[in-house]
Amino acid sequence: MSEKIVISPTSRQEGHAELVMEVDDEGIVTKGRYFSITPVRGLERIVTGKAPETAPVITQRICGVCPIPHTLASVEAMDDSLDIEIPKAGRQLRELLLAAHDINSHCIHHFLIAQDVVPADLMVTAINSVSEIRKNVQYVVDMVGGEGIHPSDVRIGGMAKNLSEVARKRLYARLKALKPKLDAHVELITGLVADKGFPKGLGVTSAPAVASHPTYGDGTNFDVDRFTEILPESWYDDPEIGKRACSTIPLYDGLNVEVGPRARAEVYRGFNERGVVAQHVARAIEMKIALSKIIDILAELDTSAPVLADFDVRGTNKLGIGAIEGPRGMDVHMAQVADGKTQFYSALVPTTWNIPTMGIATEGFHHEFGPHVIRAYDPCLSCATHVIVVDDEDRSVIKNEMVRI
Amino acid sequence: MVLGKYKQITLARSTDKQIQNISQDGGIATGLLAFALDEKIIDGAVVAGPSDEMWKPEPTVALTADEIMAAAGTKYTLCPNNWMIKEAVRQYGLEKVGVVTIPCQTMGLRKMQSYPFGTRFMADKIALIVGICCTENFSFESLKTFIEAKAGVNFDLVEKMDIGKGKFWVYTQDGTINFPIKETHGYEQNGCKVCLDLVSELSDISTGSIGAPDDWSAVEVRTDAGDTVFSKAVDAGLIETKPIDEGKFGLEMLTRLARQKKEKAMKEIDRRKELGLPVPYKASSEKEDPLANI
Amino acid sequence: MLARIKEFLGMETKPKEEASQQEVEKVAEEEKAKPRIGYIHLSGCTGDAMSLTENYDILAPLLTEMVDIVYGQTLADVWWGDENNPYAIDDMPEMDLALIEGSVCLQDEHSMKELQKAREKAGLVAAFGSCAATGCFTRYSRGGQQAQPNHESFVPIADVVKVDLAIPGCPPSPEIIAKSVVALINGDMDYLQPMMDLAGYTEACGCDLQLKVVNQALCIGCGTCAMACQTRALDMNSGRPELNEDRCVKCGICYIQCPRSSWPADRIEQDLGL
Ligand SMILES: Cc1cc2nc3c(=O)[nH]c(=O)nc-3n(C[C@H](O)[C@H](O)[C@H](O)COP(=O)(O)OP(=O)(O)OC[C@H]3O[C@@H](n4cnc5c(N)ncnc54)[C@H](O)[C@@H]3O)c2cc1C
Ligand code: SF4
Ligand code: SF4
Ligand code: SF4
Ligand code: SF4
């Protein structure tokens, strides 16, 4: 066991989730319900009533797998609420940080699907490839964000500090040298996914794709009026599940949606494939896009330019929206600041958007494919997912196990 | 053991005239760091650089020899150099950091290297610790008292200050003023009273004026890293050495003062322990050779 | 392998020529006894596990050759069920070490039982990361949120079970995690002593610097605390740490790294090769 590097769960609800599938005689899923059962630490409650500066520090700790999107969404929401225009170089550093994180996080995803798609003889190659790439992109995150896992230097109004010229040149050289390795990695993964021969149509749903920006995120493309949030009790038709589920259900135009690399590719790059394979392909392609973005920004960045704007922290109670396209999808934070305190805070994290959709995406195929579907969307919860298969007729438990990683 | 473990102890000074002019003693700190930078042994250094206020140092990342030189000379007040090391390895992107530290700062860094609980990817980036000797340190307000009230000079006119031969010296363009070091007693920061280390026992290489004639430094080469830089700099002719005098004004004095510092601190440690106050050193008087304590 | 990893971590000074043969034999022997490790994820963010994986150069051998991961929802296919869950599964195995990430929610029965069970089954229980060790930012949790308004009390695991050692940090650095695991494999309890001492440090805050260092006439303005703070909640002001409470997550790292909070002199000298 465990040649794999193992990363567990994520997101507002962190941790554990359950996938309950009802199946027919052939084992085909007729109804899939996916939900989180992890204790709720209440980060939105924690930051309310405190100084705006606290919000990014706390909300980045929603998740140690995707802390960067949370930090960025948080400061963008605050920037918006406080009407701050951040300096150009500050914005470039933020984009740089997200692009580097995107590659890191997609790499982690590849670790987690390795056992599904990588044959034994290629395992070492795949894992080394992932490690090599992560080491380089995390180097960017360390320098730009201040800390590699919970970035300390992303601030309301911009960034705490600019890079030094030494650091810029060093990163530029290192990341440029990474390009052939990353290309080879992408080829390896997409090739292996194709070889795996997932059934056509697996994981396809009709959920609309939602994204706010091709690469970074744009709060103005998130329309609050089209958004509703309902409680699990009213979403899941099984009262037992409704009670135990720990995440609320966010809807856009009254529908459950899909967010993530594939959704971004569909909205902004005319990518029309859907389902499990399409998820993997879109994710891999996105790594290349992110790397060229990193190289471009590092080439252009003016290391002597200011990165932090002056601002008035008191606020006018304007609803600020920060939307960041995280590795696993659009991450929306909303904040209102008045009298120098956060009056309202809400975070709609990628996994939460996908949770209702992921369950449905397992329907129509044999239940053995269920975990593959979950992992194609989101490795975070999936790696802590308890899969339960229930007979359609008498509701007896057919299968009961933790999802392998 | 009173001086910590070392491979070699010697007198040394920088042969560079410019460094000789601006440095406190033998210009070892400045000379070695500038050399290490040149040789790419380090790619930057954290030093006590100038701030907006005269004689109030500020931890600074120096990327050039000029910036290292701008920090030469002792400022007898607090300068939290360790703080700046984070920025040096993050935004500055340095991979081989050199740093000048007084003994207690050296301790903070060494503890971090052995137990890097929260300091991700930093421990291995510290390439060279040049430790300087330290008997005590003063808050800026205390220093101001010495200069403005005791010596009666304006801070802006001070060119150098020094502690030696039992006196606190203040050099200005117009001359030199001194007062007995006794008069600084009571002004040293309280944390120094339990400090057991005079000579930066845990640095790669330490340097100080005690035991050396004017404009020379007494240097202890301690680790392999320290040895490498030092011998290279000597071979390159940038640092000259001569044997330290074993006698009364040389090694003997250095040893005596180091011992005095330890004995005094141990007394204070015991006193505090008796009062039930916390002291971080578990060993102190319980150790077989109490003078081996740092 | 162990030797290579130790060398990589700088945990050992070059062994003397004569001793090396002995060393090799010892290592070979030790390698046979792989410690059984469990990873248990309570209310944490997984940042600690992520940090563990950032030991890029030694991770694969560390996980595959040096330890056996016997339990963990994420590390193995086993999960201990609870009566609340209608679909309870396998029992929790015996472990030499349980790494527990995250604080424990007193209102979440499953977490509470899993933690207690882990204590029963594990030889050593380690609070892995500051949430488990000190509560970290979950110290600020106060309930009242959807979808579980009752989840209110998140405490360090030592409040509920006996903890043998703590590896704090938000997250702990990749290096300290690797060093601790290697020390455990090696039975190097000497190295682990500070971690054992820290098991009792459950009430941490940036203000500890003021209370336990500055107020106690111990601070010397070295700046190590400000260097170590992972959220940049600390500045240095007139040679003393200045805390920005708005950024402090109560991880305890500043105080732990302060040379005036504890001083493992012998170990440091040994590591330096002095
Ligand atoms: C507070 C203090 C007390 C000292 N007490 C003694 C003593 O009792 N006996 C003794 O022999 N030597 C003492 N020294 C050291 C001595 O004054 C010289 O700094 C040392 O001999 C180095 O000389 P140099 O010519 O090699 O250094 P230079 O080439 O002049 O360089 C000096 C270096 O010291 C650093 N520095 C200056 N001020 C500080 C500061 N406040 N904190 C940290 N780093 C600083 C600068 O960054 C610079 O790089 C003390 C130094 C300090 C800072
Ligand atoms: S006497 Fe010791 S504690 Fe005080 S400043 Fe000098 S080295 Fe630091
Ligand atoms: S200590 Fe920090 S990294 Fe670890 S679980 Fe808590 S918030 Fe996450
Ligand atoms: S680390 Fe400790 S001694 Fe150093 S400045 Fe901070 S509180 Fe003071
Ligand atoms: S000041 Fe920083 S290091 Fe100290 S407890 Fe707070 S967050 Fe942690």
Side-chain angles (χ1 to χ4, degrees):
Chain A
M1 139 88 254
S2 107
E3 313 171 348
K4 301 313 103 10
I5 305 317
V6 175
I7 323 305
S8 102
T10 173
S11 283
R12 179 158 63 172
Q13 289 73 26
E14 267 342 288
H16 316 300
E18 278 185 17
L19 173 62
V20 178
M21 296 177 280
E22 287 175 16
V23 299
D24 64 14
D25 298 345
E26 267 88 62
I28 305 296
V29 179
T30 54
K31 180 114 198 140
R33 298 189 198 82
Y34 188 58
F35 58 99
S36 156
I37 51 162
T38 308
V40 184
R41 293 165 299 169
L43 286 102
E44 293 137 317
R45 280 292 168 277
I46 292 178
V47 303
T48 311
K50 295 202 171 67
E53 189 178 2
T54 303
V57 179
I58 300 289
T59 59
Q60 64 187 213
R61 286 167 168 80
I62 287 174
C63 170
V65 185
C66 54
I68 308 285
H70 292 308
T71 314
L72 290 170
S74 184
V75 292
E76 298 255 333
M78 288 294 175
D79 290 345
D80 188 18
S81 180
L82 295 169
D83 275 321
I84 305 169
E85 183 87 42
I86 77 164
K88 179 180 171 207
R91 165 79 182 201
Q92 284 174 311
L93 286 177
R94 285 185 183 178
E95 297 206 11
L96 179 58
L97 183 63
L98 184 65
H101 171 74
D102 200 43
I103 297 176
N104 177 46
S105 202
H106 285 349
C107 268
I108 293 166
H109 203 134
H110 290 156
F111 257 131
L112 296 174
I113 60 160
Q115 198 158 309
D116 293 345
V117 299
V118 182
D121 58 330
L122 280 176
M123 196 59 96
V124 171
T125 315
I127 287 177
N128 285 345
S129 171
V130 162
S131 260
E132 176 66 22
I133 295 170
R134 285 189 68 200
K135 193 172 170 175
N136 283 289
V137 290
Q138 279 297 82
Y139 192 62
V140 179
V141 174
D142 269 324
M143 284 185 200
V144 178
E147 299 291 346
I149 290 178
H150 291 308
S152 52
D153 293 342
V154 181
R155 300 294 168 89
I156 298 170
M159 300 289 286
K161 283 155 195 150
N162 204 333
L163 286 179
S164 77
E165 194 56 16
V166 177
R168 185 188 72 82
K169 285 188 180 141
R170 220 164 239 180
L171 289 176
Y172 182 78
R174 244 174 113 155
L175 275 287
K176 245 193 130 136
L178 184 65
K179 195 165 181 321
K181 286 180 210 153
L182 187 111
D183 289 348
H185 176 84
V186 166
E187 212 162 296
L188 177 74
I189 297 294
T190 44
L192 290 173
V193 169
D195 290 351
K196 177 78 184 175
F198 286 114
K200 217 170 142 28
L202 180 66
V204 174
T205 73
S206 58
V210 172
S212 67
H213 189 272
T215 50
Y216 181 70
D218 184 350
T220 61
N221 288 334
F222 176 76
D223 187 347
V224 201
D225 296 334
R226 293 166 67 188
F227 158 75
T228 44
E229 193 169 21
I230 62 170
L231 289 180
E233 305 245 13
S234 51
W235 175 260
Y236 295 103
D237 48 10
D238 181 333
E240 178 59 25
I241 291 178
K243 186 152 169 241
R244 291 176 56 227
C246 291
S247 59
T248 54
I249 307 293
L251 303 174
Y252 210 58
D253 294 334
L255 300 170
N256 59 295
V257 300
E258 177 195 326
V259 298
R262 200 210 63 81
R264 284 191 281 271
E266 178 179 320
V267 176
Y268 292 103
R269 292 188 272 274
F271 182 86
N272 285 322
E273 308 287 312
R274 279 181 166 257
V276 168
V277 174
Q279 290 283 352
H280 290 308
V281 170
R283 180 169 300 111
I285 293 173
E286 209 172 67
M287 294 170 85
K288 287 186 169 196
I289 298 174
L291 184 61
S292 40
K293 186 166 170 179
I294 290 173
I295 294 170
D296 288 349
I297 296 175
L298 284 169
E300 282 167 25
L301 183 73
D302 175 358
T303 51
S304 61
V307 292
L308 190 63
D310 277 337
F311 57 88
D312 181 345
V313 77
R314 282 169 300 176
T316 57
N317 223 15
K318 173 182 167 188
L319 178 69
I321 296 178
I324 290 293
E325 291 297 327
R328 275 160 296 286
M330 182 175 68
D331 183 7
V332 181
H333 287 216
M334 296 186 269
Q336 273 173 292
V337 180
D339 308 323
K341 296 263 186 283
T342 305
Q343 307 291 345
F344 165 80
Y345 202 94
S346 178
L348 303 162
V349 311
T351 305
T352 315
W353 287 110
N354 280 335
I355 274 183
T357 303
M358 284 191 265
I360 296 168
T362 62
E363 293 170 7
F365 287 86
H366 193 274
H367 67 73
E368 292 291 338
F369 286 111
H372 288 290
V373 173
I374 301 298
R375 278 196 291 272
Y377 280 88
D378 198 323
C380 298
L381 281 168
S382 74
C383 57
T385 295
H386 188 183
V387 177
I388 299 154
V389 183
V390 191
D391 190 283
D392 218 2
E393 302 275 290
D394 59 7
R395 305 195 55 84
S396 62
V397 176
I398 299 172
K399 188 174 172 186
N400 184 2
E401 64 174 15
M402 289 305 293
V403 172
R404 251 190 326 106
I405 13 176
Chain B
M1 283 282 281
V2 188
L3 299 177
K5 294 187 186 127
Y6 52 81
K7 295 176 193 285
Q8 181 198 353
I9 185 162
T10 180
L11 294 180
R13 73 168 174 190
S14 167
T15 56
D16 184 308
K17 287 274 169 300
Q18 206 188 340
I19 294 179
Q20 284 179 5
N21 281 337
I22 52 171
S23 64
Q24 187 74 12
D25 299 307
I28 296 300
T30 303
L32 267 189
L33 287 178
F35 174 74
L37 188 66
D38 222 39
E39 289 287 300
K40 301 197 164 37
I41 293 168
I42 59 173
D43 52 15
V46 175
V47 291
S51 73
D52 299 339
E53 211 166 329
M54 278 291 276
W55 296 103
K56 192 175 191 173
E58 198 169 83
T60 308
V61 180
L63 299 173
T64 62
D66 283 348
E67 286 166 344
I68 291 172
M69 294 215 263
T74 300
K75 279 75 74 174
Y76 287 97
T77 187
L78 312 171
C79 185
N81 283 351
N82 288 6
W83 179 26
M84 203 59 194
I85 291 179
K86 184 63 126 319
E87 200 171 327
V89 305
R90 297 289 197 258
Q91 279 86 2
Y92 279 87
L94 303 189
E95 288 171 348
K96 294 174 285 184
V97 183
V99 58
V100 186
T101 50
I102 48 178
C104 55
Q105 295 175 332
T106 318
M107 293 166 84
L109 292 183
R110 290 307 190 200
K111 179 174 162 183
M112 181 274 276
Q113 287 182 305
S114 281
Y115 289 97
F117 281 103
T119 50
R120 167 192 170 88
F121 300 145
M122 292 183 68
D124 60 332
K125 306 246 162 46
I126 295 176
L128 182 66
I129 299 183
V130 180
I132 53 180
C133 293
C134 176
T135 311
E136 63 214 341
N137 205 348
F138 306 97
S139 72
F140 191 63
E141 289 308 312
S142 296
L143 187 63
K144 238 176 167 166
T145 311
F146 303 158
I147 304 297
E148 294 183 345
K150 289 190 189 295
V153 261
N154 190 317
F155 244 116
D156 297 343
L157 301 177
V158 177
E159 292 193 327
K160 180 176 177 175
M161 45 188 110
D162 199 6
I163 296 177
K165 305 186 182 82
K167 295 197 164 73
F168 193 106
W169 302 82
V170 182
Y171 299 82
T172 69
Q173 231 170 355
D174 310 326
T176 310
I177 302 151
N178 67 59
F179 55 88
I181 194 72
K182 271 208 275 295
E183 289 189 28
T184 66
H185 289 170
Y187 285 93
E188 69 276 19
Q189 66 171 341
N190 288 295
C192 296
K193 293 176 184 161
V194 294
C195 174
L196 297 154
D197 186 358
L198 174 75
V199 289
S200 258
E201 294 180 33
L202 299 172
S203 63
D204 290 311
I205 181 164
S206 16
T207 177
S209 62
I210 305 174
D214 284 353
D215 299 328
W216 283 79
S217 293
V219 172
E220 296 94 43
V221 180
R222 300 183 186 279
T223 65
D224 290 344
D227 197 21
T228 310
V229 199
F230 189 69
S231 31
K232 275 192 177 174
V234 171
D235 290 347
L238 288 167
I239 283 178
E240 57 179 321
T241 61
K242 62 180 186 186
I244 188 165
D245 169 16
E246 302 274 332
K248 206 169 151 207
F249 297 106
L251 195 53
E252 205 181 296
M253 178 158 76
L254 184 55
T255 314
R256 182 167 51 83
L257 292 181
R259 177 191 301 267
Q260 272 176 15
K261 181 168 178 179
K262 283 187 196 281
E263 285 168 348
K264 204 168 137 201
M266 279 190 290
K267 242 191 224 155
E268 172 68 8
I269 290 170
D270 290 342
R271 188 188 74 87
R272 290 194 189 185
K273 279 188 176 166
E274 252 167 57
L275 286 169
L277 293 169
V279 183
Y281 313 111
K282 283 213 185 92
S284 87
S285 47
E286 291 135 45
K287 228 175 179 174
E288 204 174 308
D289 174 10
L291 294 176
N293 276 319
I294 2 157
Chain C
M1 181 49 61
L2 190 61
R4 183 167 79 86
I5 290 178
K6 282 198 285 188
E7 190 190 53
F8 177 81
L9 293 171
M11 281 182 83
E12 272 200 347
T13 51
K14 283 136 264 149
K16 290 199 186 75
E17 218 47 74
E18 325 85 65
S20 64
Q21 183 55 35
Q22 224 180 330
E23 186 78 5
V24 169
E25 277 163 22
K26 208 169 118 218
V27 167
E29 197 180 311
E30 277 164 2
E31 263 181 309
K32 279 177 217 140
K34 281 202 215 171
R36 294 160 302 168
I37 295 190
Y39 167 75
I40 288 148
H41 183 265
L42 301 175
S43 292
C45 77
T46 321
D48 311 310
M50 288 293 298
S51 189
L52 182 148
T53 70
E54 292 209 44
N55 281 296
Y56 304 115
D57 299 323
I58 55 165
L59 183 65
L62 196 69
L63 285 187
T64 56
E65 291 167 39
M66 302 184 56
V67 300
D68 263 331
I69 309 280
V70 293
Y71 179 77
Q73 325 71 317
T74 66
L75 296 170
D77 299 354
V78 262
W79 201 36
W80 178 70
D82 64 278
E83 292 111 59
N84 238 10
N85 183 331
Y87 323 105
I89 52 162
D90 300 343
D91 206 5
M92 198 184 273
E94 302 281 332
M95 298 168 269
D96 296 309
L97 168 71
L99 286 172
I100 304 189
E101 170 168 348
S103 51
V104 59
C105 176
L106 296 180
Q107 288 81 29
D108 184 58
E109 257 180 84
H110 182 269
S111 307
M112 290 289 282
K113 285 188 181 161
E114 199 180 15
L115 175 59
Q116 284 163 320
K117 193 79 177 173
R119 176 65 275 184
E120 224 178 282
K121 295 286 188 169
L124 291 172
V125 166
F128 182 34
S130 283
C131 282
T134 69
C136 199
F137 81 93
T138 64
R139 284 289 196 187
Y140 295 110
S141 290
R142 51 188 145 113
Q145 66 280 322
Q146 287 301 356
Q148 295 290 346
N150 266 346
H151 291 173
E152 168 180 337
S153 322
F154 292 78
V155 296
I157 59 170
D159 281 12
V160 174
V161 297
K162 179 176 171 291
V163 169
D164 300 296
L165 53 145
I167 312 173
C170 183
S173 72
E175 299 103 303
I176 196 81
I177 301 171
K179 281 181 155 199
S180 305
V181 172
V182 169
L184 258 169
I185 294 171
N186 231 5
D188 183 354
M189 289 302 150
D190 196 33
Y191 183 73
L192 296 174
Q193 190 56 52
M195 281 81 155
M196 297 190 227
D197 297 342
L198 285 170
Y201 180 47
T202 56
E203 291 181 9
C205 179
C207 55
D208 289 347
L209 298 171
Q210 183 68 32
L211 301 182
K212 301 181 182 174
V213 190
V214 179
N215 286 172
Q216 302 293 339
L218 288 170
C219 180
I220 27 77
C222 63
T224 311
C225 50
M227 165 185 79
C229 175
Q230 290 164 293
T231 65
R232 308 298 185 274
L234 293 167
D235 267 345
M236 294 300 293
N237 180 347
S238 306
R240 294 292 176 263
E242 168 91 48
L243 176 67
N244 175 353
E245 285 101 344
D246 295 337
R247 301 190 71 80
C248 177
V249 293
K250 297 184 184 284
C251 67
I253 284 303
C254 49
Y255 179 68
I256 290 166
Q257 295 296 173
C258 168
R260 287 293 171 89
S261 66
S262 65
W263 182 241
D266 295 337
R267 188 64 196 208
I268 289 169
E269 281 190 78
Q270 186 189 326
D271 283 357
L272 263 179
L274 288 175

